[in-house]
Amino acid sequence: QSLCQFLMSEQANSQWSPESWRSFPILQQPDYPPESREKLVEVLDKIRALPPLVHGGEVDKLVEHLGRAGTGAAFVLQGGDCAERFRDCRKTSIENKIRIILQMSLTLIWITHRPVIRILRGAGQFAKPRSSPVEKIKVTEQEIQGDGTSKSVVVEKTVPSFRGDNINDFSESNRTHDPERLLQAYFHSSTTINYIRALIAGGFASLLYPHKWDLEFVKNQDQRTEYSNILDQLQNGLRFLNSVGTFGSSAELSGIELFTSHEGLVLDYETAVTDEYKDKHYNLGAHFLWIGDRTRDIKGAHIEYFRGIQNPVGLKCGPSLDPEELGRLVKILNPDNIMGKLVLITRYGCDNVDKLLPGHIDAVKASGQNVVWITDPMHGNTFVTPSKHKTRNVNSIMAEIEACFRIHGEKGTILGGIHLEMTGENVTECVGGAAELGSGELGTAYETYCDPRLNYIQSLDVAFRVAELIKKQT
């Protein structure tokens, strides 16, 4: 009997536990020094004893919402930082992230008349998979000369890779993997979620009004006029609702839903925040988690862990994913075939969508499984400029989104959402878009510690353009 058949059998289902992944091969985990092993146990025990960050009822609600996205009755907007830093857990940063997600969602709703499911890529998105455990960096050191004087020289050193704030420090001088950082990750996630809930409950409407919608950086005058006209209509609608008392109060705004998500990478941590709710196991560290392109081995620990939790689970689908294996994975990860339980997040690169997406769609159709399709147009469209800046072009991002809409339409399937790396701040990390940012401007405000993000106006630009694509599909 194959491993896949075994995993799908009733025997395997009855044997699953939050710890059963420990008997499977695992990738992309921290490599703690031997003297830290006792500390790891202590930290994990502390996390288990702390309150959950989300409620199981919220998780169930998200599954229901995602089920509607799978049938075209709603649309998923998932976005946030590539990798959060502890230092970014501050008032302004959190407000900017929530503001751009709310504004993008309102734009999508206004133009498409379709409900939007808002999912923050954050409040726990600290760990990052890496292609190598080490990296080479250049540092300046003082070299003692023969006459006793010192001279500054640049030398190349090999250091452990930065794997995210919940694993090690960004500073090259202290890259040791430290289990105490898992506890810090919990508290930073908790603080972020708490402030998000406070913003929504306390009346975040002020951030939705005209002086908070900044189109200053839209270079093309026709495009700026078009966007301004749409925003004028949207804001007039908001003002009308506010004047008749149906929008803007704390009670009304508390109905706005925003869910949290992160890549479920460090399984020690994910297990520690897993608990029972209604006699089933939920990861209560986030509403939604996804399995990355580097950890979706069908025989691996991540698939084993995620097949047993009740949360909606995302699966990144890249060029290296064999369609036949995808057909088996969707059955393992969604054994009860619930629409909204499994989200396939495709990430190919704009030049590869036509080659790869049709085969993946055919494999899922042949499996008979219900899935929600969303596109991640970011990760396959990264390149390095002559100035050594890692970047992405908004035109390539939009080309991948457009191709996904077209192919799903041809195949009779539904593109249910987008997954973006973005920020609500005016960084200069991606080129193109309404801001017409050139590669020579990347150094102006290049702030990412990992992958490049869409800035505020580029994110709004994508929302406007995606809304028009959805409108054409209906």
Side-chain angles (χ1 to χ4, degrees), residues 278-463:
K278 296 193 300 188
D279 298 323
K280 295 181 179 179
H281 286 92
Y282 289 69
N283 182 309
L284 299 179
H287 300 103
F288 177 88
L289 300 101
W290 70 87
I291 304 165
D293 211 40
R294 292 186 176 97
T295 53
R296 55 167 162 71
D297 180 5
I298 199 167
K299 300 177 183 179
H302 286 81
I303 298 299
E304 169 62 16
Y305 169 76
F306 281 104
R307 76 179 181 88
I309 60 173
Q310 298 303 304
N311 302 63
V313 171
L315 179 71
K316 287 289 187 86
C317 303
S320 63
L321 178 56
D322 180 78
E324 187 272 335
E325 183 165 306
L326 175 59
R328 292 189 288 155
L329 281 167
V330 295
K331 291 183 177 180
I332 295 170
L333 292 170
N334 188 14
D336 296 325
N337 204 15
I338 298 168
M339 177 60 89
K341 176 67 174 67
L342 181 59
V343 178
L344 299 184
I345 308 169
T346 61
R347 42 152 294 176
Y348 305 119
C350 62
D351 294 332
N352 294 319
V353 183
D354 283 276
K355 303 173 195 172
L356 300 169
L357 180 56
H360 284 165
I361 292 174
D362 289 343
V364 174
K365 279 186 171 182
S367 74
Q369 292 295 106
N370 291 312
V371 303
V372 182
W373 293 95
I374 73 175
T375 177
D376 166 4
M378 307 296 292
H379 284 89
N381 292 302
T382 307
F383 65 98
V384 179
T385 67
S387 61
K388 305 300 182 184
H389 288 99
K390 188 192 291 188
T391 190
R392 291 154 174 164
N393 193 307
V394 176
N395 291 334
S396 299
I397 290 167
M398 283 308 307
E400 179 152 356
I401 295 172
E402 290 166 4
C404 286
F405 269 110
R406 172 175 52 79
I407 293 167
H408 279 291
E410 293 168 353
K411 288 286 188 179
T413 48
I414 293 167
L415 180 63
I418 53 175
H419 178 118
L420 304 173
E421 290 186 341
M422 64 188 201
T423 175
E425 299 173 21
N426 289 315
V427 300
T428 55
E429 297 170 4
C430 292
V431 297
E436 299 180 4
L437 190 72
S439 59
E441 301 171 86
L442 290 174
T444 306
Y446 195 91
E447 299 177 5
T448 183
Y449 289 90
C450 196
D451 289 338
R453 304 160 295 173
L454 298 169
N455 64 21
Y456 172 81
I457 197 62
Q458 289 169 333
S459 300
L460 269 184
D461 184 25
V462 169

Side-chain angles (χ1 to χ4, degrees), residues 185-222:
Y186 169 91
F187 284 117
H188 282 86
S189 299
S190 176
T191 300
T192 301
I193 292 172
N194 182 61
Y195 189 49
I196 290 171
R197 294 189 191 276
L199 285 172
I200 293 173
F204 201 49
S206 62
L207 294 185
L208 305 180
Y209 286 103
H211 64 288
K212 295 295 184 179
W213 294 70
D214 186 0
L215 298 181
E216 176 187 350
F217 295 97
V218 179
K219 297 288 182 67
N220 184 286
Q221 184 59 48
D222 291 339

Side-chain angles (χ1 to χ4, degrees), residues 109-215:
I109 292 167
W110 185 261
I111 297 174
T112 68
H113 307 295
R114 186 178 298 186
V116 171
I117 303 159
R118 307 170 189 89
I119 305 177
L120 174 67
R121 180 186 163 111
Q125 177 57 15
F126 297 113
K128 287 299 295 180
R130 300 304 300 265
S131 56
S132 171
V134 296
E135 60 184 337
K136 291 184 178 181
I137 60 169
K138 291 181 178 180
V139 297
T140 302
E141 293 185 346
Q142 296 300 312
E143 185 179 85
I144 304 300
Q145 305 299 299
D147 60 1
T149 62
S150 63
K151 176 184 177 183
S152 295
V153 294
V154 177
V155 297
E156 191 173 72
K157 282 192 170 184
T158 299
V159 298
S161 295
F162 174 60
R163 304 187 68 95
D165 268 0
N166 63 343
I167 297 176
N168 60 354
D169 197 290
F170 182 74
S171 170
E172 297 92 347
S173 62
N174 184 22
R175 290 284 179 88
T176 303
H177 295 190
D178 180 4
E180 187 68 33
R181 287 180 165 270
L182 295 178
L183 190 60
Q184 294 179 44
Y186 169 91
F187 284 117
H188 282 86
S189 299
S190 176
T191 300
T192 301
I193 292 172
N194 182 61
Y195 189 49
I196 290 171
R197 294 189 191 276
L199 285 172
I200 293 173
F204 201 49
S206 62
L207 294 185
L208 305 180
Y209 286 103
H211 64 288
K212 295 295 184 179
W213 294 70
D214 186 0
L215 298 181

Side-chain angles (χ1 to χ4, degrees), residues 236-248:
N236 284 336
L238 292 177
R239 278 191 288 266
F240 171 77
L241 291 174
N242 190 55
S243 67
V244 297
T246 59
F247 185 85

